[in-house]
Amino acid sequence: MEKKNIDWGNLGFGYQQTDYRFVSNYKNGAWDEGTLTTDANIVINECAGVLQYAQTVFEGMKAYTTEDGRTVVFRPDLNAERFENSARRLEMPVYDKDRFVEAVKKTVKANEAYVPPFGTGATLYIRPYMFGSSPVIGVKPAEEYQFRILTTPVGPYFKGGIKPLTIRVSDFDRAAPHGTGHIKAGLNYAMSLHAIVTAHEEGYDENMYLDAASRTYVEETGGANFLFVTKDGTVVTPKSNSILPSITRRSLMYVAEHYLGLKAEEREIPIEEVREFAECGLCGTAAVISPVGRVDYKGEQIVFPSGMSEMGPITRKLYETLTGIQMGRIEAPEGWLVEI
């Protein structure tokens, strides 16, 4: 497969239109077969459910070129499962998990010329999404929906090297108990925009959200889960019903235990315990792990022993191992890499 003439090494993390996208429509209680199209534009009614009541869910994953030249997608079955849970929570029709994975494979195959070559640090980002397309004026679910998958080549999340982030404990709440924090709904991200914009204006890279009920326990940021490392080398991640179940976080916890021989725990983490950890990172599809150097909490600056200059040693091992699996340098667990 001849690759597109793109300056792969200078790609940013942004949208660049590719040749094909997948589209399937839900009408009269059933999904159609779906098709690939070259048209990147969407035409919907002015009263569509997505425009009036934010009835939309999405996913994010990546395709990679491995060291031996294969094109692979990382754990799309888990994205399909999470997408199904998101749709159910917003009273949207489920798109079958097997059909979801096949649609992802078909879309990546059609755009394989945009999958960056191995060693460039770039990847093909994949965005499946669904929205209510029929008119809705009363507060109720739409009757018709559209499922689409777009792709775009993106550069490495860290331009110019990995530098630890400075974050603040936010005064805003991200998700309410028994709310929608555990699903990947567009509305969750819309309500985090003001908090992240004000954080940036105040010189912070991200927010740390606490649980909305007691403001006692660490939850996540607007778009990533937390990983902490204790001083005795245990990898710990917050447990909460209002945290999005990150596929990257789940993979890193598996890597910690089964590849690196570390103890891995998912449990409630009081904010007061944060100062006791040796390392901290944010994990997600975009960067795998973003190291955190400092957390500001009620006027206190909590600086982790790993410091503000580089990743902590265990965070780095986790990062290198998981990216090694994704790029084919390290043998993957069965089913983690789906070849195109």
Side-chain angles (χ1 to χ4, degrees):
M1 168 64 68
E2 185 178 349
K3 299 296 183 181
K4 294 288 184 178
N5 184 22
I6 295 173
D7 186 1
W8 305 106
N10 286 315
L11 275 177
F13 198 85
Y15 173 74
Q16 178 172 323
Q17 186 172 311
T18 54
D19 293 339
Y20 295 95
R21 64 276 312 134
F22 182 85
V23 182
S24 180
N25 291 289
Y26 181 89
K27 190 174 182 179
N28 298 324
W31 289 102
D32 65 19
E33 286 302 307
T35 187
L36 291 170
T37 176
T38 57
D39 188 357
N41 297 305
I42 300 171
V43 178
I44 53 176
N45 187 275
E46 63 186 352
C47 202
V50 62
L51 301 178
Q52 303 306 317
Y53 302 120
Q55 203 180 13
T56 180
V57 295
F58 69 97
E59 276 299 323
M61 64 191 88
K62 286 181 176 180
Y64 308 84
T65 300
T66 62
E67 194 166 18
D68 60 2
R70 294 175 296 142
T71 299
V72 300
V73 179
F74 184 68
R75 307 192 78 177
D77 57 318
L78 294 189
N79 291 96
E81 182 181 290
R82 191 170 65 182
F83 193 75
E84 182 177 297
N85 292 335
S86 296
R88 283 201 174 101
R89 180 62 177 81
L90 292 192
E91 289 296 328
M92 303 171 78
V94 167
Y95 198 82
D96 180 77
K97 286 185 281 190
D98 290 339
R99 290 184 66 187
F100 178 102
V101 173
E102 285 305 310
V104 167
K105 291 164 66 175
K106 185 182 293 186
T107 309
V108 173
K109 182 65 177 177
N111 293 295
E112 198 165 7
Y114 288 94
V115 181
F118 175 80
T120 60
T123 53
L124 185 73
Y125 186 81
I126 308 161
R127 170 58 60 86
Y129 58 107
M130 184 199 302
F131 56 88
S133 55
S134 60
V136 179
I137 196 66
V139 181
K140 62 181 181 179
E143 294 181 357
E144 298 176 6
Y145 296 84
Q146 190 167 106
F147 169 70
R148 299 176 69 100
I149 303 174
L150 67 83
T151 59
T152 182
V154 295
Y157 197 76
F158 299 114
K159 287 295 252 185
I162 299 170
K163 295 180 175 59
L165 308 175
T166 298
I167 65 177
R168 67 171 184 184
V169 176
S170 181
D171 292 329
F172 297 100
D173 293 327
R174 174 189 163 269
H178 313 296
T180 58
H182 63 294
I183 66 168
K184 207 164 177 66
L187 58 92
N188 292 344
Y189 296 81
M191 60 191 293
S192 73
L193 293 176
H194 178 66
I196 191 61
V197 168
T198 56
H200 289 165
E201 288 173 350
E202 294 171 16
Y204 297 98
D205 297 298
E206 256 294 359
N207 290 293
M208 173 185 284
Y209 292 104
L210 305 181
D211 73 292
S214 69
R215 298 196 58 78
T216 300
Y217 297 102
V218 175
E219 293 218 322
E220 61 163 271
T221 71
N225 283 187
F226 279 102
L227 278 182
F228 297 97
V229 181
T230 66
K231 290 174 182 175
D232 66 359
T234 299
V235 180
V236 184
T237 190
K239 183 177 183 179
S240 166
N241 291 331
S242 54
I243 288 176
L244 185 74
S246 164
I247 292 158
T248 304
R249 185 257 297 166
R250 284 181 276 175
S251 302
L252 287 166
M253 296 296 277
Y254 183 93
V255 163
E257 190 171 1
H258 297 278
Y259 280 71
L260 302 180
L262 301 171
K263 186 178 178 182
E265 297 178 347
E266 182 182 2
R267 60 173 173 81
E268 290 185 333
I269 299 175
I271 180 59
E272 300 296 339
E273 187 184 354
V274 169
R275 62 175 62 87
E276 304 300 324
F277 290 117
E279 301 175 36
C280 175
L282 309 181
C283 55
T285 298
V288 181
I289 306 180
S290 307
V292 175
R294 193 182 90 208
V295 175
D296 284 7
Y297 173 56
K298 291 184 176 179
E300 176 187 3
Q301 293 189 348
I302 302 171
V303 180
F304 297 101
S306 51
M308 291 295 296
S309 59
E310 58 185 16
M311 271 190 176
I314 290 178
T315 303
R316 180 168 292 281
K317 285 180 184 177
L318 288 167
Y319 174 80
E320 291 175 348
T321 305
L322 187 57
T323 54
I325 290 170
Q326 292 170 334
M327 296 296 176
R329 294 191 299 268
I330 298 172
E331 186 175 354
E334 185 176 356
W336 278 30
L337 298 182
V338 173
E339 189 167 348
I340 304 302

